[in-house]
Amino acid sequence: MKYPTTRMRRLRKSFQIRKILQETRLNPEDLIYPLYIKEELEEGQKEHIDTMPGQYRYSLSDAVSEAKRLEKLGLSSVLLFGLPVKKDETGSSAYDREGIIQKAIRRLKEETELVVITDVCLCQYTSHGHCGIVEDDEILNDKTLNYLSKIALSHAEAGADIVAPSDMMDGRVEAIRKTLDENGFQDTLIMSYAAKYASSFYAPFRDAVCSAPSFGDRKTHQMNPANTDEALREVELDIKEGADIVMVKPALPYLDVIREVKNEFKIPTAAYQVSGEYSMLMAGIEAGYLTEESIYESLTSIKRAGADLVISHFTPKLLEEGTEFKC
Ligand code: PBG
Ligand code: ZN
């Protein structure tokens, strides 16, 4: 059947019709909120992140209060990032039992019902800002695995529900799974940053958490933005090593990758709408070039591409104002 019997515009004739025929919906439980917790800050202090309008670095107590406020609005999960006072060559604050993240996990698990997810990496904790152990200006893969495992174990011991390695070393999911299992944490999930690209869209984040590398870049471990087959291999390997949830990062420039991963593996898939995606939209909106609808459109598109979970800095706004796309 075709025109004039078939009229596609009938499907769009009113808001109500469009709404009942909408195929993809963003729900509050799809959203994961990244929280930046700075050890040095006292209660009542929060620092605005200038490269990410409306986002803050929180003291431990303020991060917990913000998490509680958002939980009342329907938040289900948080992703924690720490800014330690002390940085050294091996990032020892990252696996300190009394470290900022370990403390934050304990408090959030005591005081909320939230799913607590932790970023597992060294870059915020190392003096050189790299995601691994560095010798002779080289980021060592195998040596780094021991450290990542220690970090993940310390998070699990503090009560983390999900650990999320973001370093892109080879073999890290297997190493972490083994360490967790040997220590009785069979039930701690791993969400691997499986297809993580060496993206320029991370720039505001590196400013937010002071993790820019002091020399070189991350291109020897993060992926070339031009590659898809390689992303599928990365995801396949992480699944074989024991990942429970896989992630594609960034999100909007990589919607094709999200779709292929979902089609190929049928595994819970997360997408990270990264700092640069957030700041780009905010800048456009603040300048009056874009409207806030662009936020809903991008997030709905990320879900439509196949993401089950979306990590987004817009989470508080969506929880406050509703996740519904004004179709
Ligand atoms: C650290 C890490 C990064 C992000 C999350 N974990 C940045 C990087 O690899 O330099 C990016 C988050 C964002 O841009 O929102 N490994
Ligand atoms: Zn890192």
Side-chain angles (χ1 to χ4, degrees), residues 22-299:
Q22 185 167 317
E23 297 175 35
T24 307
R25 260 174 244 282
L26 195 64
N27 305 306
E29 55 272 25
D30 303 330
L31 298 166
I32 301 174
Y33 186 49
L35 262 179
Y36 303 114
I37 312 171
K38 187 167 174 178
E39 193 168 15
E40 208 178 297
L41 296 179
E42 304 283 343
E43 183 164 358
Q45 296 180 327
K46 62 176 183 181
E47 287 177 358
H48 185 248
I49 303 169
D50 293 339
T51 52
M52 299 173 72
Q55 300 297 313
Y56 296 88
R57 301 181 198 92
Y58 291 99
S59 67
L60 175 55
S61 298
D62 293 302
V64 174
S65 314
E66 178 64 0
K68 284 183 180 167
R69 181 184 78 85
L70 295 173
E71 186 180 27
K72 288 202 193 91
L73 296 174
L75 182 69
S76 299
S77 55
V78 284
L79 174 60
L80 307 183
F81 291 94
L83 286 87
V85 167
K86 188 187 114 197
K87 300 193 186 210
D88 59 25
E89 283 283 301
T90 62
S92 59
S93 309
Y95 46 89
D96 181 348
R97 286 190 173 187
E98 292 308 313
I100 182 66
I101 288 302
Q102 289 77 0
K103 283 184 184 159
I105 298 165
R106 288 194 289 267
R107 280 205 49 190
L108 287 167
K109 290 310 292 179
E110 270 164 29
E111 299 177 41
T112 74
E113 301 286 314
L114 294 167
V115 174
V116 175
I117 312 174
T118 57
D119 185 86
V120 172
C121 201
L122 282 163
C123 50
Q124 284 119 256
Y125 302 86
T126 48
S127 39
H128 43 70
H130 279 293
C131 306
I133 301 301
V134 173
E135 275 171 28
D136 299 328
D137 285 2
E138 198 187 323
I139 303 158
L140 301 180
N141 192 87
D142 298 9
K143 211 170 197 178
T144 300
L145 301 184
N146 304 328
Y147 289 89
L148 295 169
S149 302
K150 279 210 263 195
I151 301 171
L153 179 60
S154 76
H155 292 176
E157 282 171 345
D161 299 288
I162 306 179
V163 292
S166 67
D167 51 282
M168 289 296 278
M169 296 299 127
D170 288 316
R172 91 275 209 212
V173 174
E174 185 176 77
I176 290 171
R177 184 72 273 157
K178 188 162 171 277
T179 303
L180 292 177
D181 289 356
E182 282 169 1
N183 288 278
F185 294 100
Q186 290 86 351
D187 293 334
T188 305
L189 285 81
I190 299 178
M191 173 167 82
S192 75
Y193 288 66
K196 178 174 177 179
Y197 287 88
S199 171
S200 54
F201 287 94
Y202 307 150
F205 170 90
R206 290 181 190 167
D207 181 64
V209 304
C210 313
S211 71
S214 59
F215 66 91
D217 53 39
R218 306 217 202 287
K219 290 182 182 170
T220 65
H221 45 107
Q222 298 181 350
M223 284 186 47
N224 179 344
N227 296 352
T228 329
D229 292 348
E230 194 183 335
L232 297 176
R233 290 184 72 197
E234 282 284 4
V235 171
E236 186 178 5
L237 286 165
D238 281 8
I239 296 171
K240 282 192 180 138
E241 290 181 27
D244 300 287
I245 304 168
V246 294
M247 190 202 298
V248 175
K249 179 184 173 188
L252 203 62
Y254 299 88
L255 294 180
D256 56 326
V257 179
I258 298 171
R259 170 48 60 199
E260 287 212 35
V261 166
K262 193 65 194 172
N263 284 353
E264 185 79 21
F265 301 106
K266 316 276 181 220
I267 184 172
T269 303
Y272 204 137
Q273 183 187 51
V274 300
S275 55
E277 296 178 66
Y278 171 84
S279 299
M280 184 167 65
L281 289 170
M282 288 299 285
I285 292 162
E286 285 183 353
Y289 301 148
L290 294 173
T291 64
E292 290 197 347
E293 277 179 63
S294 58
I295 299 171
Y296 291 85
E297 187 176 333
S298 342
L299 283 161

